Amino acid sequence: MEYTYDFFKTSADYVREKIGFEPEIGIILGSSLGPLADEVEDPVVIPYEEIPNFLRSTVSTHAGKLICGKLAGRKVVCMSGRFHYYEGYEFEQLTAPVRLFHLLGCRACILTNAAGGVNLDYKPGDIMLIRDQIVLNGASPLRGKNLPEFGPRFFDVQKMYTPSLRQLALECGEGSGLTFHEGTYFYMTGPHFETPAEIRAIRILGGDAVGMSTVTEALTAAHCGMPCLAFSVITNMAAGVLDQALTDEEVNETGKTVSERLCRYLKKVLERM
């Protein structure tokens, strides 16, 4: 399959015709953070499988729907459920969500995920604003033929997680009842959780939280010059930190406990973006 500009434009043209407006902000919701999508006003709901040339979400806790409408006074396109390399997709395919946002006219994107806490000062329920990332596994989603309609062949990623948006997000966190950190997200391909030895190595290398998503989306945003704000919900402590098994159920339960406060907080951020 050759991923041309027209390949991605076909997806955007379909969505644009369905929603009839130009969204301002694109949002990708990670594990157990779907409830925010329920607060979108006058929603137009498009299942992923109806969008030409788009991907399909196979994770049971991800709704697999594009929800478009108004949220906190902003026109948004919200992905309830995302795509991962471990689902069988190639890294090049994982550019699809943010390229869709870009072609629809979004001026910024917000990415959320569930992550394991590597930094020993973190605890489940905390929120980490992603300041930087480390990717030692897998390939760049921008490998292969460059599409100049989206961005240049070689591009700078020093401010991929936009500093001004991070500052805004920290200001909005005051009085939210949530505990915030800024830190480095370490990407692992999954779907298995990491080993205790891997977590010790990640901590030595400077990772504060570990997860299986987000980095391909952030890189795609940087390629097309889109400001990006990203959050990790620390849903569990990573392998070896506590003497207990890691389970998907723990991730989902912690996500549920903070989802209400996080939704209120994200709406406050949207109002000020």
Side-chain angles (χ1 to χ4, degrees):
M1 175 69 70
E2 185 178 3
Y3 300 107
T4 64
Y5 176 78
D6 286 339
F7 178 90
F8 296 104
K9 185 175 181 294
T10 298
S11 302
D13 288 345
Y14 178 86
V15 173
R16 187 179 296 107
E17 184 177 345
K18 288 286 186 181
I19 66 177
F21 66 88
E22 183 173 292
E24 302 170 82
I25 310 293
I27 305 171
I28 298 180
L29 298 174
S31 299
S32 303
L33 299 173
L36 182 67
D38 297 334
E39 300 193 30
V40 175
E41 300 171 15
D42 301 319
V44 177
V45 181
I46 309 173
Y48 293 161
E49 59 265 24
E50 294 182 5
I51 304 172
N53 297 342
F54 208 56
L55 310 182
R56 309 287 183 265
S57 181
T58 67
V59 181
S60 61
T61 54
H62 291 223
K65 296 177 182 179
L66 200 67
I67 301 169
C68 311
K70 276 198 169 184
L71 185 62
R74 302 294 182 199
K75 296 176 183 177
V76 301
V77 53
C78 182
M79 285 185 59
S80 185
R82 58 148 51 86
F83 314 113
H84 310 79
Y85 175 73
Y86 66 71
E87 295 177 78
Y89 293 117
E90 299 298 331
F91 284 101
E92 296 91 328
Q93 292 177 280
L94 299 177
T95 60
V98 174
R99 284 182 168 172
L100 176 66
F101 293 167
H102 175 71
L103 290 170
L104 290 174
C106 294
R107 57 179 174 79
C109 65
I110 297 176
L111 314 175
T112 71
N113 66 54
V118 176
N119 189 317
L120 298 179
D121 291 331
Y122 293 6
K123 63 181 185 297
D126 288 359
I127 309 298
M128 185 184 82
L129 287 169
I130 301 179
R131 178 174 54 208
D132 206 344
Q133 67 182 42
I134 299 174
V135 183
L136 301 181
N137 290 300
S140 169
L142 287 312
R143 71 187 289 266
K145 182 180 178 181
N146 185 56
L147 301 181
E149 297 92 342
F150 291 112
R153 168 78 291 182
F154 303 104
F155 57 102
D156 184 53
V157 294
Q158 293 182 80
K159 297 182 180 179
M160 177 165 50
Y161 297 101
T162 310
S164 59
L165 291 181
R166 296 204 319 268
Q167 181 59 40
L168 170 65
L170 286 172
E171 293 171 3
C172 289
E174 297 177 8
S176 66
L178 296 165
T179 299
F180 287 87
H181 310 275
E182 281 192 280
T184 297
Y185 182 86
F186 197 106
Y187 173 75
M188 295 289 278
T189 57
H192 57 280
F193 293 112
E194 302 73 35
T195 69
E198 287 169 339
I199 293 303
R200 290 195 297 272
I202 288 169
R203 189 178 297 118
I204 290 169
L205 290 171
D208 296 296
V210 62
M212 307 171 190
S213 68
T214 304
V215 299
T216 55
E217 299 148 359
L219 285 165
T220 305
H223 182 242
C224 65
M226 181 182 295
C228 175
L229 177 63
F231 303 87
S232 290
V233 179
I234 306 302
T235 50
N236 59 280
M237 296 309 293
V241 176
L242 303 175
D243 186 20
Q244 63 186 51
L246 301 182
T247 67
D248 190 43
E249 288 76 16
E250 179 187 10
V251 171
N252 294 332
E253 283 303 312
T254 304
K256 290 176 184 176
T257 63
V258 301
S259 63
E260 184 177 342
R261 282 173 292 162
L262 185 60
C263 286
R264 287 198 304 268
Y265 164 73
L266 287 174
K267 288 168 70 175
K268 185 176 179 181
V269 172
L270 275 169
E271 287 175 354
R272 293 188 55 186
M273 284 182 69

